[in-house]
Amino acid sequence: MGKSLTNASYETGEGFLDAMKGALATTSQLQRESGLLNHEVTLENPTVSLEETMLASVKSNIAFQVTLQSRNRIVQAYTDVMNMQV
């Protein structure tokens, strides 16, 4: 019988915490890149296009929104569990 996804994730050490750390690192990197491109466009660097900068900004915004919504759902799930009657 094949391994379930949870068992495979557990055995390789890839857990929820690792996934969240990776998501936060990716979001941080996208925000950093967006900020750098925005700064270069502001300085009128001819090698950086406005389209590239706007695309980086949209990617950064989407990643931030996903991270924020994930946090909200985690907090809500924690609150629900803590309010359960045992």
Side-chain angles (χ1 to χ4, degrees):
M1 193 186 275
K3 294 180 184 178
S4 70
L5 182 58
T6 28
N7 287 342
S9 294
Y10 179 73
E11 289 174 6
T12 59
E14 296 176 9
F16 180 76
L17 183 59
D18 292 332
M20 286 304 296
K21 284 181 181 179
L24 289 172
T26 300
T27 300
S28 179
Q29 179 64 30
L30 287 170
Q31 288 181 333
R32 194 172 314 114
E33 289 173 7
S34 175
L36 290 172
L37 288 172
N38 190 17
H39 182 70
E40 290 299 318
V41 165
T42 303
L43 296 176
E44 297 180 2
N45 184 341
T47 61
V48 178
S49 69
L50 181 59
E51 294 83 6
E52 177 184 14
T53 304
M54 292 188 68
L55 183 60
S57 177
V58 169
K59 284 181 182 180
S60 170
N61 188 27
I62 290 171
F64 178 75
Q65 292 300 320
V66 168
T67 303
L68 182 64
Q69 291 302 319
S70 297
R71 181 201 59 105
N72 290 345
R73 287 180 185 240
I74 291 167
V75 169
Q76 183 62 47
Y78 175 80
T79 303
D80 291 347
V81 168
M82 294 307 293
N83 289 331
M84 284 183 175
Q85 295 291 329
V86 180

